[in-house]
Amino acid sequence: MKQSRNFYPVLFCLFAAFALFSGCTGGNEKSNPLPPSEPAATTDADTSQSATPAAKKEHTTTVEIKGMKFNPEVVTIHKGDTVEWVNNDLTAHCVTEKARKWASPAIASGSSWKKVVTENTDYFCAIHVVMNGRIKVE
Amino acid sequence: MKKQITSRRSALLLSAMFLLFSSFSFAQKSKATKLSDAEIASVAVAANQIDIDAAQLAQQKSKNAEVRNFAKTMIADHQSVIDKATALVTRLGVTPKNNAVTRQLQANAKKTLAGLRAKSGAAFDKAYVQNEVAYHKAVIAAVDNTLIPDAQNAELKGLLQTVSPVLHTHLEHAQMVAKDLK
């Protein structure tokens, strides 16, 4: 009997605390929605990245395509890094692995394309076959 | 007299490789004439269109994958240059002005195309690619030594400077294909 008298205030406090917590969360959702300018895709991407337990940071090395050359022609990266080719040239280009194991689509002037690279790679532009580049993985 | 010497030289070139005629004439003529920006725009568009026309013929006639790929690149790149040049002169309010160099380029290109149309198979491939080597050499000389120095507008000069490495890459590509065809 004594035990049950003590039980009710505790239960009430627990219920009140739960109600208060629930109310704050709900209130926040209503009063502070995501800014409409923030794209949902970005939020999803951020969430998925933070949810990934691996602390390994994605590193991107940029190769600029300009003056009908890959600049720099040789880049050294760590295994699993991303290489991004940015086409600042007058014409479209592409990136094709020397043995044609993989190839980008045509990269229009002002566009870019990226790929995670895990092994040493010699590549060329299949549109302008005299343009060559190399990725060294260390 | 000078005209006779030029004709004799052209005739010799013609006998060796008639397709070179237009290219050398283009380089010589444009070097001797000071061009205005409006005339440079006209020459630039004509020079690019001529190479597109030749490439379209190659796409129709050639069965060689390397030649066809080269021709495809020529069409895409030279069209890209025409588009950029047209957009620039439109923005600058410059109307391309027809001139002697443009007319000579077009007249010679007509002869070159006629010569190419008369060929087929491996002979066509060889003639087309050899002409591309000669044509790009001549256009590079004209762009680097005449059009860029003559251009008054900084943006037009800048565009021509951007076009130059494209032409050099085309030349290298054409030389590579020519070597493979031997």
Side-chain angles (χ1 to χ4, degrees), chain B residues 61-131:
Chain B
K61 292 188 76 119
S62 181
K63 289 186 170 56
N64 182 297
E66 207 178 356
V67 172
R68 290 176 64 83
N69 184 49
F70 175 80
K72 189 180 171 188
T73 298
M74 293 306 104
I75 293 168
D77 285 4
H78 287 291
Q79 189 58 55
S80 178
V81 174
I82 288 176
D83 293 346
K84 291 276 194 315
T86 305
L88 177 63
V89 295
T90 303
R91 189 160 54 77
L92 295 174
V94 174
T95 305
K97 188 181 172 189
N98 200 5
N99 58 83
V101 179
T102 302
R103 284 191 292 274
Q104 190 182 348
L105 269 173
Q106 289 167 336
N108 291 334
K110 205 174 169 183
K111 289 178 194 167
T112 303
L113 276 181
L116 287 173
R117 279 196 191 96
K119 294 181 185 299
S120 61
F124 171 85
D125 290 343
K126 206 169 177 181
Y128 167 66
V129 174
Q130 281 174 340
N131 182 63

Side-chain angles (χ1 to χ4, degrees), chain A residues 18-114:
Chain A
F18 177 73
L20 187 67
F21 177 76
S22 303
C24 284
T25 308
N28 274 353
E29 278 178 353
K30 284 175 184 173
S31 61
N32 297 317
L34 284 174
S37 59
E38 191 173 347
T42 306
T43 309
D44 289 348
D46 288 343
T47 306
S48 65
Q49 274 177 5
S50 60
T52 306
K56 189 182 172 184
K57 275 191 173 179
E58 184 189 298
H59 186 265
T60 300
T61 298
T62 302
V63 176
E64 186 186 30
I65 310 174
K66 197 174 181 183
M68 306 301 279
K69 285 187 189 306
F70 294 109
N71 304 293
E73 282 184 351
V74 180
V75 290
T76 303
I77 63 165
H78 290 110
K79 187 175 182 178
D81 280 356
T82 299
V83 179
E84 182 175 31
W85 288 267
V86 179
N87 184 5
N88 288 326
D89 230 338
L90 196 65
T91 63
H93 291 288
C94 70
V95 181
T96 304
E97 195 273 334
K98 208 84 175 177
R100 296 184 184 264
K101 283 193 258 181
W102 52 261
S104 76
I107 308 167
S109 174
S111 300
S112 64
W113 182 77
K114 57 186 172 182

Side-chain angles (χ1 to χ4, degrees), chain B residues 18-62:
Chain B
F18 78 99
L19 294 167
L20 292 179
F21 174 80
S22 60
S23 311
F24 280 95
S25 299
F26 171 40
Q28 286 170 352
K29 181 78 180 178
S30 56
K31 198 169 185 176
T33 315
K34 176 90 175 169
L35 298 169
S36 67
D37 283 359
E39 288 171 330
I40 288 171
S42 168
V43 170
V45 171
N48 282 285
Q49 189 58 52
I50 284 165
D51 211 43
I52 290 173
D53 294 344
Q56 283 172 338
L57 184 64
Q59 291 262 289
Q60 289 166 21
K61 292 188 76 119
S62 181

